[in-house]
Amino acid sequence: MRETLRAKAITVCEAKIAQKGEGVGLSFYAFFRNKNDDPALLMEAAEWWIKTHALDHFEKAVKIRDMIRAGL
């Protein structure tokens, strides 16, 4: 996953956690606006989420943030 996507994902996870608490879940779609303006980046996130890590559609934001920080 490219560094810009990692940084954005961590920022989104932290914002969701701050807003709704540590139990909040999200999907990789949370990292994007409702407009599909960068399909390659969306596919990169989807591949990391689904193909590489076989994550469920919704996962805890804390888990995702920690995985990304760990470089997974």
Side-chain angles (χ1 to χ4, degrees):
M1 183 186 302
R2 67 183 85 170
E3 188 56 39
T4 55
L5 182 53
R6 285 183 180 278
K8 182 176 185 176
I10 289 171
T11 299
V12 168
C13 287
E14 289 178 344
K16 294 280 187 186
I17 294 164
Q19 183 182 28
K20 297 190 177 195
E22 292 200 2
V24 68
L26 51 74
S27 77
F28 66 88
Y29 289 112
F31 308 143
F32 301 92
R33 295 181 288 177
N34 288 337
K35 188 175 184 183
N36 187 8
D37 56 358
D38 192 342
L41 192 60
L42 177 64
M43 291 306 295
E44 186 175 333
E47 183 171 321
W48 180 90
W49 192 285
I50 298 166
K51 192 173 181 183
T52 304
H53 296 289
L55 298 170
D56 290 337
H57 184 75
F58 283 96
E59 293 285 351
K60 299 291 184 203
V62 170
K63 175 182 177 177
I64 299 303
R65 180 198 62 198
D66 293 348
M67 287 176 69
I68 295 170
R69 282 183 177 165
L72 299 176

